[in-house]
Amino acid sequence: MNIIEILKEDYQRFPVNQTYSIYAPDVYFQDPLNKFRGVRRYKQMINFIQTWFLDPKMDLHNIQRLGDTIKTEWTLSWNTPLPWKPRISIPGWSELGLNSDGLIVSHVDYWNCSRLDVVKQHLSKQNSGVRSQNSE
């Protein structure tokens, strides 16, 4: 199975049973909140999402490989474990750099929204996963 097919399957079952063997041991990861090196630390971040986010989902909209770069476009969504369980949605894209062995050596995520937009989603009752009878 090629790396594109592996990534498609990983996105479908995210964050469960991710294929960490496609990452170099010292992979560089960056998103608007984190910056670190190492597949061990990457696993910890995915485990955090799996443990603390409710119903996390990664919708893959597009994936393409151009030479030693793979670009994915996606929407990450989940319910936050607050009493009103807001549904959070972050549209974005990733740029994955490959080495000569075909392993991912860099994974940089970009958001199509600001960190403030994400905070506002947590405060909005419109994103509530808990519906009142009057909300229909």
Side-chain angles (χ1 to χ4, degrees):
M1 189 178 320
N2 71 39
I3 194 162
I4 298 293
E5 294 304 315
I6 293 169
L7 286 165
K8 285 180 180 178
E9 289 187 5
D10 278 1
Y11 275 83
Q12 284 182 340
R13 64 179 174 261
F14 181 86
V16 178
N17 295 327
Q18 298 296 283
T19 310
Y20 298 108
S21 61
I22 61 175
Y23 290 88
D26 65 342
V27 63
Y28 172 76
F29 179 85
Q30 181 178 332
D31 70 16
L33 301 176
N34 300 288
K35 188 187 300 188
F36 56 81
R37 281 199 173 276
V39 73
R40 186 179 66 76
R41 177 69 178 86
Y42 184 69
K43 286 180 186 179
Q44 290 174 342
M45 183 184 67
I46 300 300
N47 187 52
F48 177 84
I49 292 170
Q50 189 174 354
T51 302
W52 295 103
F53 291 18
L54 305 175
D55 190 27
K57 189 172 181 186
M58 182 72 84
D59 292 313
L60 180 64
H61 308 300
N62 191 24
I63 185 169
Q64 59 184 341
R65 181 173 179 172
L66 301 167
D68 63 355
T69 302
I70 297 172
K71 182 177 179 183
T72 64
E73 296 174 33
W74 43 261
T75 302
L76 173 62
S77 60
W78 72 91
N79 290 89
T80 300
L82 294 168
W84 57 96
K85 294 182 176 45
R87 188 75 183 166
I88 308 305
S89 180
I90 299 177
W93 75 95
S94 299
E95 291 179 3
L96 311 175
L98 303 175
N99 67 13
S100 59
D101 295 326
L103 295 175
I104 298 169
V105 292
S106 66
H107 179 146
V108 180
D109 288 345
Y110 301 90
W111 295 356
N112 290 332
C113 62
S114 70
R115 290 184 289 190
L116 180 58
D117 291 335
V118 175
V119 170
K120 287 179 183 176
Q121 289 183 58
H122 282 86
L123 304 175
S124 172
K125 297 292 185 184
Q126 288 181 322
N127 292 339
S128 176
V130 177
R131 291 241 176 233
S132 70
Q133 290 179 345
N134 296 332
S135 65
E136 305 295 323

